[in-house]
Amino acid sequence: MNARLNFNFPCPIRFGPGVIDELADHLINQGLKHPLVVTDPVIAELDFFIDILEKLRAKNLAVDVFSEMHKNPVKSDVLKGGGHYHDSVCDCIVGIGGGVALDVARAIVLRVNHHRDLFDYDDLIGGDKYVTEDVPYFVTVPTTAGTGSEVGRSAIISEDESKKKRILFAPKLMARQVFADPELTMELPPHVTAATGMDALTHNMEAYLAKNYHPMCDGIALEGMALIAKSIEKATHHPDIQSRSDMLLGSMMGAVAFQKGLGVVHSMAHPLSSLLDTHHGLANAVNLPYGMAFNYKGFEARFDKMAEFLGVIDGDGERVVDYLFELNQRLNIPTQLREIGVKEEHLNPLSQLAIEDFAHPNNPKPVTLEDFRSLYHKAF
């Protein structure tokens, strides 16, 4: 896995070790001179990010950086970023980072020429109909193998006060070019690699089970599961370029697949981020076995197929839940909510937020408020 490859699905992707070195020439070839580079405050201080900026500036690109964002991004982060773009007279946006940075970058792309209240563009209330103006040229550079936001068309941004998550969506928000360089993920610490990797696995599994009919997404999700299952432990504990490449591909595949929908696990995870500021990947990882156990009955054939691609013994779908618990343990991820700061008094408000979440309507079976209460208590 040392080759540099081009994939054109769902948008142009330049993939392979070292492709980040092509970023400056790509921008210049588009006639661009002044990128706003959007990243999170942690990445903004890292050596590899500083090296990227130096290489851009060495090609006489005027670079501005915006990194003022919360761990779970909120509306005011996006408004500040949009103001920075205009004040600095930038001509394009480069998002570098994981899901947080790329969500904020994509929302800024929307904000630049769309001036209604940001949440008027919420996809769940038909806000995509207002996305009518041109948007800046947009490049994404993933630094984790988790959300797959680099190939997405949406951004999840929370309300500042309530922390309710809103979805900004439009085909125009897809990156014009992705530079997916597995070398940028090599220095991720094990706990981040594990949590973001389980996020990617959750995307693939929930997409495969989602009730909408989309056989193309199903096929992508299954192969994404296979890539992640064979590489996540090595990428976490003994990373090499092959395992990191497989994880990056599996992450992007999950993001493509979940246009079909997500499910109960994400609806359990989102409130943990909103209420307790829990890392999204960690929240998905802890809840994944419980959500899959809830979905098993009635969907045994789908679980058998997942078991086959995950490498579960005998392809037995009934063993998938145990496999997930064991995988979390091997990755040093907690298996109970109490281990990540959840207290018993949080369970009812978490359940209320979960039933209001946008993901579970696509779950293969209906989920009630009582179901969420039961699931949280089991996971607690």
Side-chain angles (χ1 to χ4, degrees):
M1 186 54 75
N2 289 309
R4 297 187 182 187
L5 306 168
N6 290 312
F7 302 121
N8 287 289
F9 186 78
C11 55
I13 300 167
R14 185 69 169 150
F15 182 91
V19 297
I20 190 60
D21 292 340
E22 302 172 11
L23 173 59
D25 285 339
H26 175 80
L27 296 176
I28 292 167
N29 290 339
Q30 303 303 314
L32 302 166
K33 299 177 180 179
H34 195 162
L36 177 65
V37 177
V38 179
T39 194
D40 67 56
V42 174
I43 289 177
E45 302 297 323
L46 297 181
D47 289 344
F48 81 82
F49 180 77
I50 294 169
D51 182 60
I52 291 171
L53 298 184
E54 289 176 350
K55 289 177 178 176
L56 293 175
R57 288 170 176 147
K59 292 289 184 80
N60 296 316
L61 290 164
V63 180
D64 270 271
V65 176
F66 177 77
S67 61
E68 298 177 49
M69 60 191 70
H70 293 77
K71 186 165 68 171
N72 287 291
V74 294
K75 176 181 175 180
S76 58
D77 299 335
V78 178
L79 300 184
K80 287 178 186 175
H84 193 131
Y85 183 95
H86 285 296
D87 292 344
S88 301
V89 197
C90 295
D91 60 10
C92 61
I93 293 175
V94 178
I96 301 178
V100 171
L102 297 184
D103 273 5
V104 174
R106 180 170 283 110
I108 294 171
V109 168
L110 170 65
R111 183 63 183 171
V112 165
N113 292 324
H114 293 82
H115 304 301
R116 300 176 67 100
D117 183 275
L118 187 66
F119 293 140
D120 282 354
Y121 303 101
D122 185 341
D123 183 54
L124 296 181
I125 58 173
D128 61 311
K129 69 186 177 187
Y130 298 122
V131 184
T132 56
E133 306 302 317
D134 290 337
V135 299
Y137 195 88
F138 183 36
V139 174
T140 54
V141 181
T143 62
T144 65
T147 65
S149 292
E150 59 273 14
V151 296
R153 299 171 291 177
S154 62
I156 297 178
I157 304 294
S158 296
E159 298 175 358
D160 282 75
E161 300 301 325
S162 72
K163 307 303 182 187
K164 179 181 178 181
K165 292 185 180 292
R166 310 288 286 266
I167 303 177
L168 309 176
F169 167 90
K172 287 184 178 184
L173 303 183
M174 186 172 285
R176 302 284 295 276
Q177 179 68 50
V178 178
F179 288 94
D181 188 336
E183 289 184 347
L184 298 182
T185 72
M186 287 296 293
E187 300 303 318
L188 283 174
H191 71 281
V192 176
T193 302
T196 55
M198 289 301 291
D199 187 24
L201 182 60
T202 303
H203 291 158
N204 282 289
M205 295 184 74
E206 288 215 289
Y208 182 66
L209 291 174
K211 68 183 183 181
N212 296 323
Y213 180 71
H214 201 318
M216 289 177 282
C217 285
D218 288 349
I220 292 167
L222 288 168
E223 182 62 19
M225 288 179 226
L227 285 170
I228 293 167
K230 79 173 186 178
S231 58
I232 189 169
E233 290 180 67
K234 186 169 184 59
T236 298
H237 300 305
H238 306 286
D240 59 11
I241 203 66
Q242 183 68 56
S243 62
R244 293 291 190 176
S245 295
D246 287 344
M247 289 301 299
L248 195 53
L249 286 166
S251 171
M252 288 191 287
M253 293 169 80
V256 173
F258 77 60
Q259 66 177 281
K260 181 188 172 195
L262 291 167
V264 63
V265 178
H266 270 76
S267 285
M268 293 180 71
H270 287 150
L272 288 166
S273 299
S274 300
L275 191 67
L276 302 173
D277 214 25
T278 307
H279 181 279
H280 175 66
L282 178 61
N284 268 332
V286 176
N287 285 305
L288 182 58
Y290 301 97
M292 290 298 111
F294 176 81
N295 280 333
Y296 176 71
K297 189 174 181 181
F299 297 91
E300 293 86 351
R302 291 239 147 194
F303 274 78
D304 286 345
K305 181 63 74 173
M306 289 196 297
E308 175 188 346
F309 278 78
L310 290 168
V312 174
I313 295 173
D314 298 328
D316 183 356
E318 196 168 7
R319 298 185 181 185
V320 166
V321 172
D322 287 340
Y323 164 85
L324 294 171
F325 277 120
E326 292 163 6
L327 181 58
N328 274 343
Q329 290 171 342
R330 293 196 296 272
L331 296 172
N332 297 319
I333 288 175
T335 58
Q336 293 181 307
L337 293 175
R338 67 177 72 233
E339 299 176 71
I340 59 171
V342 178
K343 301 184 184 304
E344 193 160 6
E345 59 263 31
H346 294 139
L347 300 185
N348 279 337
L350 285 170
S351 300
Q352 188 60 48
L353 287 168
I355 196 65
E356 296 169 0
D357 187 71
F358 58 83
H360 70 84
N362 284 319
N363 199 63
K365 60 175 68 173
V367 196
T368 66
L369 178 60
E370 287 306 312
D371 289 328
F372 278 119
R373 286 179 177 148
S374 175
L375 282 165
Y376 278 128
H377 277 281
K378 287 175 182 177
F380 181 70

